[in-house]
Amino acid sequence: MKNSNATALKLIGMIMIVFGLIYAVVGTLALMGTLNNVLPGHETQEVLVVVLAYAVALFAIVCGIACVKNSTAVAKVLGAIIAVVALASLLYLQFTQNTFSIVDCVAACFGVSIYALASKK
């Protein structure tokens, strides 16, 4: 059972690295105006939305690396941080712009998954 948790943590870690890179690239393209209506809030270039989005992307990359290296203590903390920051971003978008960001929802779900898997070790 312990080995399957490590394998699952590594797999989610690889997914989080790819997720963080794609989120950062798509966010940058949305800020540049190349992509429209992909990420809510980026079109208006609202500062808090952009900061929260890039925080989620950065934490996703760092947490993915920690998961791949099988550092459960760091992955547990970063998974919790990702879940909280993604939830904050999701709620902020919902209350200020009446939009739902599926990307932040997925990030929150992955953060909770990483926290749960790292806690079982």
Side-chain angles (χ1 to χ4, degrees):
M1 185 74 165
K2 188 174 185 180
N3 191 14
S4 65
N5 281 345
T7 304
L9 194 62
K10 285 183 182 184
L11 179 64
I12 291 180
M14 288 185 256
I15 292 170
M16 287 303 287
I17 291 171
V18 172
F19 173 80
L21 290 173
I22 290 173
Y23 194 13
V25 168
V26 170
T28 303
L29 291 174
L31 281 174
M32 291 172 25
T34 307
L35 300 174
N36 292 325
N37 299 324
V38 175
L39 297 174
H42 278 73
E43 293 83 17
T44 60
Q45 297 182 0
E46 189 174 334
V47 175
L48 188 57
V49 172
V50 174
V51 167
L52 287 170
Y54 283 114
V56 169
L58 179 67
F59 284 131
I61 293 168
V62 173
C63 184
I65 293 169
C67 290
V68 169
K69 290 189 172 199
N70 208 14
S71 177
T72 56
V74 175
K76 182 178 175 181
V77 171
L78 288 174
I81 291 172
I82 289 171
V84 169
V85 172
L87 183 63
S89 179
L90 188 66
L91 291 174
Y92 184 78
L93 280 171
Q94 185 65 42
F95 288 126
T96 61
Q97 298 180 1
N98 291 330
T99 58
F100 180 77
S101 174
I102 190 71
V103 178
D104 289 327
C105 183
V106 167
C109 292
F110 274 130
V112 170
S113 299
I114 290 171
Y115 180 81
L117 280 172
S119 295
K120 288 184 181 180
K121 288 216 149 198

